[in-house]
Coordinates of all heavy atoms in Angstrom, one line a residue:
M1 N 0.8 -1.2 0.0 CA 0.0 0.0 0.0 C 0.9 1.3 0.0 O 2.0 1.2 0.5 CB -0.9 0.0 1.2 CG -2.0 -1.0 1.3 SD -3.0 -0.9 2.7 CE -3.8 0.7 2.4
S2 N 0.4 2.3 -0.6 CA 1.1 3.6 -0.6 C 0.1 4.7 -0.5 O -1.1 4.5 -0.5 CB 1.9 3.7 -1.8 OG 1.1 3.8 -3.0
L3 N 0.6 5.9 -0.2 CA -0.1 7.1 -0.2 C 0.0 7.9 -1.5 O 1.0 7.9 -2.1 CB 0.4 8.0 1.0 CG 0.4 7.4 2.4 CD1 1.3 8.3 3.3 CD2 -1.0 7.4 2.9
N4 N -1.1 8.5 -1.8 CA -1.1 9.4 -3.0 C -0.9 10.8 -2.4 O -1.9 11.3 -1.7 CB -2.4 9.3 -3.8 CG -2.4 10.1 -5.0 OD1 -1.7 11.2 -5.1 ND2 -3.2 9.8 -6.0
V5 N 0.2 11.5 -2.6 CA 0.5 12.7 -1.9 C 0.6 13.9 -2.9 O 1.2 13.8 -3.9 CB 1.9 12.6 -1.1 CG1 2.2 13.9 -0.4 CG2 1.8 11.5 -0.1
T6 N 0.0 15.0 -2.5 CA 0.1 16.2 -3.3 C 0.4 17.4 -2.3 O -0.3 17.5 -1.3 CB -1.3 16.5 -4.0 OG1 -1.6 15.4 -4.8 CG2 -1.2 17.8 -4.8
V7 N 1.5 18.1 -2.7 CA 1.8 19.3 -1.9 C 1.8 20.5 -2.9 O 2.4 20.5 -3.9 CB 3.3 19.2 -1.3 CG1 3.6 20.5 -0.6 CG2 3.4 18.0 -0.4
V8 N 0.9 21.5 -2.5 CA 0.7 22.6 -3.4 C 0.9 23.9 -2.5 O 0.6 23.9 -1.4 CB -0.6 22.6 -4.1 CG1 -0.7 21.5 -5.1 CG2 -1.8 22.6 -3.2
A9 N 1.4 24.9 -3.2 CA 1.4 26.3 -2.6 C 0.3 27.1 -3.3 O -0.3 26.6 -4.2 CB 2.8 26.9 -2.8
A10 N 0.1 28.3 -2.8 CA -1.0 29.1 -3.3 C -0.9 29.3 -4.8 O -1.9 29.4 -5.5 CB -1.1 30.4 -2.6
E11 N 0.3 29.4 -5.3 CA 0.5 29.8 -6.7 C 1.1 28.7 -7.6 O 1.2 28.9 -8.8 CB 1.4 31.0 -6.8 CG 0.8 32.2 -6.1 CD 1.8 33.4 -6.1 OE1 2.9 33.3 -6.7 OE2 1.4 34.4 -5.6
H12 N 1.5 27.5 -7.0 CA 2.1 26.5 -7.9 C 2.1 25.1 -7.2 O 2.0 25.1 -5.9 CB 3.5 26.9 -8.3 CG 4.4 27.0 -7.1 ND1 4.5 28.1 -6.3 CD2 5.4 26.1 -6.6 CE1 5.4 27.9 -5.3 NE2 5.9 26.7 -5.5
A13 N 2.2 24.1 -8.0 CA 2.3 22.7 -7.4 C 3.8 22.5 -7.0 O 4.7 23.0 -7.7 CB 2.0 21.7 -8.5
V14 N 4.0 21.9 -5.8 CA 5.3 21.7 -5.3 C 5.8 20.2 -5.6 O 6.9 20.0 -6.1 CB 5.4 22.0 -3.8 CG1 6.7 21.7 -3.2 CG2 5.0 23.4 -3.6
W15 N 5.0 19.2 -5.3 CA 5.3 17.9 -5.5 C 4.1 17.0 -5.5 O 3.1 17.3 -4.7 CB 6.3 17.3 -4.5 CG 6.8 16.0 -4.7 CD1 7.8 15.6 -5.6 CD2 6.3 14.7 -4.2 NE1 8.0 14.3 -5.6 CE2 7.1 13.7 -4.8 CE3 5.3 14.4 -3.3 CZ2 6.8 12.4 -4.5 CZ3 5.1 13.1 -3.0 CH2 5.8 12.0 -3.6
S16 N 4.0 16.0 -6.3 CA 2.9 15.0 -6.3 C 3.5 13.7 -6.6 O 4.3 13.5 -7.5 CB 1.9 15.5 -7.3 OG 0.8 14.6 -7.3
G17 N 3.0 12.6 -5.9 CA 3.4 11.3 -6.3 C 3.0 10.3 -5.2 O 2.3 10.6 -4.3
E18 N 3.6 9.1 -5.3 CA 3.3 8.0 -4.4 C 4.3 8.0 -3.2 O 5.5 8.3 -3.5 CB 3.4 6.7 -5.1 CG 2.3 6.5 -6.2 CD 0.9 6.4 -5.6 OE1 0.7 5.7 -4.6 OE2 0.0 7.1 -6.1
A19 N 3.9 7.8 -2.0 CA 4.8 7.8 -0.9 C 4.5 6.7 0.1 O 3.3 6.2 0.2 CB 4.7 9.2 -0.2
K20 N 5.5 6.4 0.9 CA 5.3 5.4 2.0 C 4.9 6.0 3.3 O 4.2 5.5 4.1 CB 6.6 4.6 2.2 CG 7.1 3.8 1.1 CD 8.5 3.2 1.5 CE 9.1 2.4 0.3 NZ 10.4 1.8 0.7
R21 N 5.4 7.3 3.5 CA 5.2 8.0 4.7 C 5.2 9.5 4.5 O 6.0 10.0 3.7 CB 6.2 7.5 5.7 CG 6.1 8.2 7.1 CD 7.2 7.7 8.0 NE 8.5 8.1 7.6 CZ 9.6 7.3 7.6 NH1 9.6 6.1 8.1 NH2 10.8 7.8 7.2
V22 N 4.4 10.2 5.3 CA 4.5 11.7 5.3 C 4.5 12.1 6.8 O 3.7 11.6 7.6 CB 3.2 12.3 4.6 CG1 3.3 13.8 4.8 CG2 3.2 11.9 3.2
I23 N 5.4 13.0 7.1 CA 5.4 13.6 8.5 C 5.3 15.1 8.3 O 6.1 15.7 7.5 CB 6.7 13.3 9.2 CG1 6.8 11.8 9.4 CG2 6.8 14.0 10.6 CD1 8.1 11.3 9.9
A24 N 4.3 15.7 9.0 CA 4.1 17.2 8.8 C 3.9 17.8 10.2 O 3.5 17.2 11.1 CB 2.9 17.4 7.9
K25 N 4.3 19.1 10.2 CA 4.1 19.9 11.5 C 2.8 20.6 11.4 O 2.5 21.3 10.4 CB 5.2 20.9 11.6 CG 5.2 21.6 12.9 CD 6.4 22.5 13.1 CE 6.4 23.3 14.4 NZ 7.5 24.3 14.4
T26 N 1.9 20.4 12.4 CA 0.6 21.1 12.5 C 0.6 21.9 13.7 O 1.5 21.8 14.6 CB -0.6 20.1 12.5 OG1 -0.6 19.4 13.8 CG2 -0.5 19.1 11.4
T27 N -0.4 22.7 13.9 CA -0.6 23.5 15.1 C -0.7 22.6 16.4 O -0.5 23.1 17.5 CB -1.8 24.5 15.0 OG1 -2.9 23.7 14.7 CG2 -1.5 25.5 13.9
E28 N -1.1 21.4 16.2 CA -1.3 20.4 17.3 C 0.0 19.6 17.6 O 0.0 18.8 18.5 CB -2.4 19.5 17.0 CG -3.8 20.2 16.8 CD -4.3 20.8 18.1 OE1 -4.2 20.2 19.2 OE2 -4.7 22.0 18.0
G29 N 1.0 19.8 16.7 CA 2.3 19.0 16.8 C 2.5 18.2 15.6 O 1.8 18.4 14.6
E30 N 3.6 17.4 15.5 CA 3.9 16.7 14.3 C 2.9 15.5 14.2 O 2.5 14.9 15.2 CB 5.3 16.1 14.4 CG 6.3 17.1 14.0 CD 7.7 16.5 13.7 OE1 7.9 15.3 14.0 OE2 8.4 17.1 13.0
I31 N 2.6 15.2 12.9 CA 1.7 14.1 12.6 C 2.4 13.2 11.6 O 3.0 13.7 10.6 CB 0.3 14.5 12.1 CG1 -0.6 13.4 11.9 CG2 0.5 15.4 10.8 CD1 -2.0 13.7 11.6
G32 N 2.4 11.9 11.9 CA 2.9 10.9 10.9 C 1.8 10.2 10.3 O 0.8 9.8 10.9
I33 N 1.9 10.1 9.0 CA 0.8 9.5 8.2 C 1.4 8.3 7.4 O 2.3 8.4 6.6 CB 0.2 10.5 7.2 CG1 -0.3 11.7 8.0 CG2 -0.9 9.8 6.4 CD1 -0.4 12.9 7.2
L34 N 0.8 7.1 7.6 CA 1.1 5.9 6.9 C -0.1 5.5 6.1 O -1.3 5.9 6.4 CB 1.5 4.8 7.9 CG 2.8 5.1 8.7 CD1 3.0 4.0 9.7 CD2 4.0 5.1 7.8
P35 N 0.0 4.5 5.1 CA -1.2 4.0 4.5 C -2.2 3.5 5.5 O -1.8 2.9 6.5 CB -0.6 2.9 3.6 CG 0.8 3.4 3.3 CD 1.2 4.0 4.6
G36 N -3.5 3.7 5.3 CA -4.5 3.2 6.2 C -4.8 4.2 7.3 O -5.7 3.9 8.1
H37 N -4.2 5.4 7.3 CA -4.5 6.4 8.3 C -5.9 6.8 8.3 O -6.5 6.9 7.3 CB -3.5 7.6 8.1 CG -3.4 8.5 9.3 ND1 -4.4 9.3 9.7 CD2 -2.4 8.6 10.2 CE1 -4.0 10.0 10.8 NE2 -2.8 9.6 11.1
E38 N -6.5 7.0 9.5 CA -7.8 7.6 9.6 C -7.9 8.9 9.0 O -6.9 9.7 9.0 CB -8.2 7.7 11.1 CG -8.4 6.4 11.8 CD -9.6 5.6 11.3 OE1 -10.6 6.2 11.1 OE2 -9.4 4.4 11.1
P39 N -9.1 9.3 8.5 CA -9.2 10.7 7.9 C -8.9 11.7 9.0 O -9.3 11.6 10.1 CB -10.7 10.7 7.5 CG -11.1 9.3 7.3 CD -10.3 8.5 8.3
V40 N -8.3 12.8 8.5 CA -7.9 13.9 9.5 C -7.8 15.2 8.7 O -7.4 15.1 7.5 CB -6.6 13.6 10.3 CG1 -5.4 13.5 9.4 CG2 -6.4 14.5 11.4
L41 N -8.1 16.3 9.3 CA -7.9 17.6 8.8 C -7.1 18.4 9.8 O -7.5 18.4 11.0 CB -9.2 18.3 8.4 CG -9.2 19.6 7.7 CD1 -8.5 19.5 6.4 CD2 -10.6 20.2 7.6
G42 N -6.0 19.0 9.4 CA -5.2 19.8 10.4 C -4.7 21.1 9.7 O -4.6 21.2 8.5
I43 N -4.3 22.0 10.6 CA -3.8 23.3 10.2 C -2.3 23.1 10.2 O -1.7 22.8 11.2 CB -4.2 24.4 11.1 CG1 -5.8 24.5 11.1 CG2 -3.6 25.7 10.8 CD1 -6.3 25.4 12.1
V44 N -1.7 23.5 9.1 CA -0.2 23.4 8.9 C 0.5 24.5 9.7 O 0.1 25.7 9.5 CB 0.2 23.4 7.4 CG1 1.7 23.4 7.3 CG2 -0.4 22.2 6.7
A45 N 1.4 24.2 10.5 CA 2.2 25.2 11.2 C 3.5 25.4 10.3 O 3.9 24.5 9.5 CB 2.7 24.7 12.6
D46 N 4.1 26.5 10.4 CA 5.3 26.8 9.7 C 6.4 25.7 10.0 O 6.7 25.5 11.2 CB 5.9 28.2 9.9 CG 4.9 29.3 9.4 OD1 3.9 29.0 8.8 OD2 5.2 30.5 9.7
G47 N 6.9 25.1 9.0 CA 7.8 24.0 9.3 C 8.0 23.1 8.1 O 7.7 23.5 6.9
Q48 N 8.5 21.9 8.3 CA 8.8 21.0 7.3 C 7.7 19.9 7.1 O 7.1 19.5 8.0 CB 10.1 20.3 7.5 CG 11.3 21.2 7.5 CD 12.6 20.5 7.8 OE1 12.6 19.4 8.3 NE2 13.7 21.1 7.3
V49 N 7.5 19.5 5.8 CA 6.8 18.4 5.5 C 7.8 17.4 4.9 O 8.4 17.7 3.9 CB 5.7 18.7 4.4 CG1 4.9 17.4 4.0 CG2 4.7 19.7 4.9
R50 N 7.9 16.2 5.6 CA 8.9 15.2 5.2 C 8.2 14.1 4.5 O 7.3 13.5 5.1 CB 9.7 14.8 6.4 CG 10.5 16.0 7.0 CD 11.5 15.6 8.1 NE 11.0 14.8 9.2 CZ 10.3 15.2 10.3 NH1 10.1 16.5 10.4 NH2 10.0 14.4 11.2
I51 N 8.7 13.7 3.4 CA 8.0 12.6 2.6 C 9.1 11.5 2.3 O 10.2 11.9 1.9 CB 7.5 13.2 1.3 CG1 6.5 14.3 1.5 CG2 6.9 12.1 0.4 CD1 6.2 15.2 0.3
V52 N 8.7 10.3 2.5 CA 9.4 9.2 2.0 C 8.7 8.6 0.8 O 7.6 8.1 1.0 CB 9.6 8.1 3.1 CG1 10.4 6.9 2.5 CG2 10.3 8.7 4.3
T53 N 9.3 8.7 -0.4 CA 8.6 8.3 -1.6 C 8.5 6.8 -1.7 O 9.1 6.1 -0.9 CB 9.3 8.8 -2.9 OG1 10.5 8.2 -3.0 CG2 9.5 10.3 -2.8
A54 N 7.7 6.3 -2.6 CA 7.5 4.9 -2.8 C 8.9 4.2 -3.2 O 9.1 3.1 -2.9 CB 6.5 4.6 -3.9
D55 N 9.8 5.0 -3.8 CA 11.2 4.5 -4.1 C 12.1 4.6 -2.9 O 13.3 4.2 -3.1 CB 11.7 5.3 -5.3 CG 10.9 5.2 -6.5 OD1 10.1 4.3 -6.6 OD2 11.0 6.1 -7.4
G56 N 11.7 5.1 -1.8 CA 12.6 5.3 -0.6 C 13.3 6.6 -0.6 O 14.1 6.8 0.3
E57 N 13.1 7.5 -1.5 CA 13.8 8.8 -1.5 C 13.1 9.7 -0.4 O 11.9 9.6 -0.2 CB 13.6 9.4 -2.9 CG 14.3 10.8 -3.1 CD 14.0 11.4 -4.4 OE1 13.4 10.8 -5.3 OE2 14.5 12.5 -4.6
H58 N 14.0 10.4 0.2 CA 13.5 11.4 1.3 C 13.5 12.8 0.7 O 14.5 13.3 0.2 CB 14.5 11.3 2.5 CG 14.4 10.0 3.2 ND1 13.8 9.9 4.4 CD2 14.9 8.8 2.9 CE1 13.9 8.7 4.8 NE2 14.6 8.0 3.9
L59 N 12.3 13.4 0.7 CA 12.1 14.7 0.3 C 11.6 15.6 1.4 O 10.9 15.1 2.3 CB 11.0 14.8 -0.8 CG 11.2 14.0 -2.1 CD1 9.9 14.0 -2.9 CD2 12.4 14.5 -2.8
T60 N 12.0 16.9 1.4 CA 11.6 17.8 2.4 C 11.1 19.1 1.8 O 11.7 19.6 0.8 CB 12.7 18.2 3.4 OG1 13.2 17.0 4.0 CG2 12.3 19.1 4.5
A61 N 9.9 19.5 2.2 CA 9.4 20.8 1.7 C 9.1 21.7 2.9 O 8.6 21.3 3.9 CB 8.0 20.6 1.0
N62 N 9.6 23.0 2.8 CA 9.2 24.0 3.8 C 7.8 24.5 3.5 O 7.6 24.8 2.3 CB 10.2 25.1 3.8 CG 11.5 24.7 4.5 OD1 11.6 23.8 5.3 ND2 12.6 25.4 4.1
A63 N 7.0 24.5 4.4 CA 5.6 24.9 4.2 C 5.2 26.0 5.3 O 5.6 25.9 6.4 CB 4.6 23.7 4.3
E64 N 4.5 27.0 4.8 CA 4.0 28.0 5.7 C 2.5 28.2 5.6 O 2.0 28.4 4.5 CB 4.7 29.4 5.4 CG 6.2 29.4 5.6 CD 6.8 30.7 5.2 OE1 6.1 31.7 5.1 OE2 8.0 30.7 5.0
G65 N 1.8 28.0 6.7 CA 0.4 28.1 6.7 C -0.4 27.1 5.9 O 0.2 26.2 5.3
G66 N -1.7 27.2 5.9 CA -2.5 26.3 5.1 C -3.1 25.1 5.9 O -3.2 25.2 7.1
F67 N -3.4 24.0 5.2 CA -4.0 22.9 5.9 C -3.5 21.6 5.3 O -2.9 21.5 4.2 CB -5.5 22.9 5.8 CG -6.1 22.8 4.5 CD1 -6.4 21.5 4.0 CD2 -6.3 23.9 3.6 CE1 -7.0 21.3 2.7 CE2 -6.9 23.7 2.4 CZ -7.2 22.4 1.9
L68 N -3.7 20.5 6.0 CA -3.4 19.1 5.6 C -4.7 18.3 5.7 O -5.4 18.4 6.7 CB -2.3 18.6 6.6 CG -2.1 17.1 6.5 CD1 -0.8 16.8 5.7 CD2 -1.9 16.5 7.9
S69 N -4.9 17.5 4.7 CA -6.1 16.6 4.6 C -5.6 15.2 4.3 O -4.8 15.0 3.4 CB -7.0 17.1 3.5 OG -8.1 16.2 3.3
V70 N -6.2 14.3 5.1 CA -5.9 12.8 4.8 C -7.2 12.1 4.7 O -8.1 12.2 5.6 CB -5.1 12.2 6.0 CG1 -4.8 10.7 5.7 CG2 -3.8 13.0 6.3
E71 N -7.4 11.4 3.6 CA -8.6 10.6 3.4 C -8.4 9.5 2.3 O -7.9 9.9 1.3 CB -9.8 11.5 3.0 CG -11.1 10.7 3.0 CD -12.3 11.6 2.8 OE1 -12.2 12.8 2.6 OE2 -13.4 11.1 2.9
N72 N -8.7 8.3 2.7 CA -8.6 7.2 1.7 C -7.2 7.1 1.1 O -7.0 7.0 -0.1 CB -9.6 7.3 0.6 CG -11.0 7.2 1.1 OD1 -11.3 6.5 2.0 ND2 -11.9 8.0 0.5
D73 N -6.1 7.2 1.9 CA -4.7 7.1 1.5 C -4.3 8.2 0.5 O -3.4 8.1 -0.2 CB -4.4 5.7 0.9 CG -4.4 4.6 1.9 OD1 -4.1 4.9 3.1 OD2 -4.7 3.5 1.5
R74 N -5.1 9.3 0.6 CA -4.8 10.5 -0.2 C -4.4 11.6 0.8 O -5.2 12.0 1.6 CB -6.0 10.9 -1.0 CG -5.7 11.9 -2.1 CD -7.0 12.1 -2.9 NE -7.3 10.9 -3.8 CZ -6.7 10.7 -5.0 NH1 -5.9 11.6 -5.5 NH2 -7.0 9.7 -5.7
V75 N -3.2 12.1 0.7 CA -2.7 13.2 1.5 C -2.5 14.5 0.7 O -1.8 14.4 -0.3 CB -1.4 12.8 2.2 CG1 -0.9 14.0 3.1 CG2 -1.5 11.5 3.0
T76 N -3.2 15.5 1.1 CA -3.1 16.8 0.4 C -2.6 17.9 1.4 O -3.2 18.0 2.4 CB -4.4 17.2 -0.2 OG1 -4.9 16.2 -1.0 CG2 -4.3 18.5 -1.0
V77 N -1.5 18.5 1.0 CA -1.0 19.7 1.8 C -1.2 20.9 1.0 O -0.6 21.0 -0.1 CB 0.5 19.5 2.2 CG1 1.0 20.7 3.0 CG2 0.7 18.2 3.0
V78 N -2.0 21.8 1.4 CA -2.2 23.1 0.7 C -1.7 24.2 1.6 O -2.2 24.5 2.7 CB -3.8 23.3 0.4 CG1 -3.9 24.6 -0.3 CG2 -4.3 22.1 -0.4
A79 N -0.6 24.7 1.2 CA 0.1 25.7 2.0 C 0.1 27.1 1.3 O -0.1 27.2 0.1 CB 1.6 25.3 2.2
D80 N 0.1 28.1 2.2 CA 0.2 29.5 1.7 C 1.5 29.6 0.8 O 1.4 30.2 -0.3 CB 0.2 30.5 2.8 CG -1.1 30.5 3.6 OD1 -2.1 30.1 3.0 OD2 -1.1 30.9 4.8
Q81 N 2.6 29.1 1.4 CA 3.8 29.1 0.6 C 4.5 27.8 0.9 O 4.5 27.3 2.0 CB 4.8 30.2 1.1 CG 4.3 31.6 0.8 CD 5.3 32.7 1.1 OE1 6.4 32.4 1.4 NE2 4.8 33.9 1.1
A82 N 5.1 27.2 -0.1 CA 5.8 25.9 0.1 C 6.9 25.8 -1.0 O 6.7 26.2 -2.2 CB 4.9 24.7 0.0
E83 N 8.0 25.1 -0.7 CA 9.0 24.8 -1.7 C 9.8 23.6 -1.2 O 10.0 23.4 0.0 CB 9.9 26.0 -2.0 CG 10.7 26.5 -0.7 CD 11.5 27.7 -1.0 OE1 11.4 28.3 -2.1 OE2 12.3 28.0 -0.1
L84 N 10.3 22.8 -2.2 CA 11.2 21.7 -1.8 C 12.6 22.3 -1.5 O 13.0 23.3 -2.0 CB 11.4 20.8 -3.0 CG 10.2 19.9 -3.4 CD1 10.5 19.1 -4.6 CD2 9.8 19.0 -2.2
V85 N 13.2 21.7 -0.5 CA 14.5 22.1 0.0 C 15.5 21.0 -0.2 O 15.2 19.9 -0.4 CB 14.6 22.6 1.4 CG1 13.8 23.9 1.5 CG2 14.0 21.6 2.4

């Protein structure tokens, strides 16, 4: 199983693809998301979104503001500003 992940900023797409794991910073603290995760909606705090792709590659995006949505193994991060680092 894998996650279908999309990270977008207000003005452009940042990254989209299949992933094994996503870790993001929310206003409630860090959240780790694996396939099969319960649906959740969170507010993104300024910080990093760390992604382990289906190939095992580690990606990091700096994200500021916005929200994170998880449902049916689909993870969407919509940030005010975001970029891969």
Side-chain angles (χ1 to χ4, degrees):
M1 289 183 68
S2 64
L3 299 166
N4 183 337
V5 180
T6 303
V7 179
V8 296
E11 299 178 2
H12 63 282
V14 177
W15 186 82
S16 182
E18 297 292 313
K20 296 178 183 178
R21 178 179 67 220
V22 175
I23 299 171
K25 186 176 178 186
T26 70
T27 55
E28 300 293 317
E30 278 198 341
I31 183 170
I33 302 156
L34 297 171
H37 197 285
E38 291 292 317
V40 67
L41 184 63
I43 298 171
V44 173
D46 294 353
Q48 295 182 335
V49 176
R50 299 186 310 273
I51 301 164
V52 177
T53 69
D55 299 339
E57 183 181 356
H58 291 253
L59 302 175
T60 302
N62 283 335
E64 296 179 17
F67 68 90
L68 167 100
S69 171
V70 179
E71 187 171 6
N72 297 325
D73 290 332
R74 191 173 291 274
V75 180
T76 305
V77 178
V78 179
D80 296 334
Q81 295 184 14
E83 63 183 5
L84 288 177
V85 293

